[in-house]
Amino acid sequence: LVAHQPLNLLDARDATAWCSHSADTLNEPITFGFSSPTRIDEIRISTGNNFNESTWNEFARAHKLVFLAGKQSQTVMLE
């Protein structure tokens, strides 16, 4: 599973991916932590196959993003 490890989520490469270890992909949370205040300028979400927009609904992907900063939180729902 090295080809689909969680660190692939941070490499900014379209050729790599992370895959869930379970069949329950919609309930597997992923958490990123930073040791100091960090500015996030961009988040890209793609489908499991990363082919094109026409296959977006056919493969598992993130549906909800939750950003936490101390006691503040912001939730973003994706269509």
Side-chain angles (χ1 to χ4, degrees):
L1 291 175
V2 173
H4 300 109
Q5 64 182 334
L7 284 176
N8 289 346
L9 293 167
L10 302 174
D11 68 7
R13 294 175 51 211
D14 288 337
T16 63
W18 168 78
C19 292
S20 171
H21 292 286
S22 73
D24 190 10
T25 58
L26 297 180
N27 288 313
E28 187 163 346
I30 302 169
T31 302
F32 297 94
F34 302 95
S35 60
S36 62
T38 302
R39 179 183 172 122
I40 299 173
D41 294 317
E42 178 182 16
I43 296 175
R44 289 184 281 156
I45 305 292
S46 59
T47 62
N49 70 353
N50 205 23
F51 287 147
N52 57 48
E53 289 183 27
S54 67
T55 60
W56 175 258
N57 290 318
E58 296 176 28
F59 292 86
R61 67 206 179 279
H63 290 270
K64 178 172 79 172
L65 305 176
V66 180
F67 299 93
L68 302 170
K71 293 181 180 181
Q72 297 178 332
S73 71
Q74 177 72 41
T75 300
V76 177
M77 301 300 294
L78 304 176
E79 291 183 23

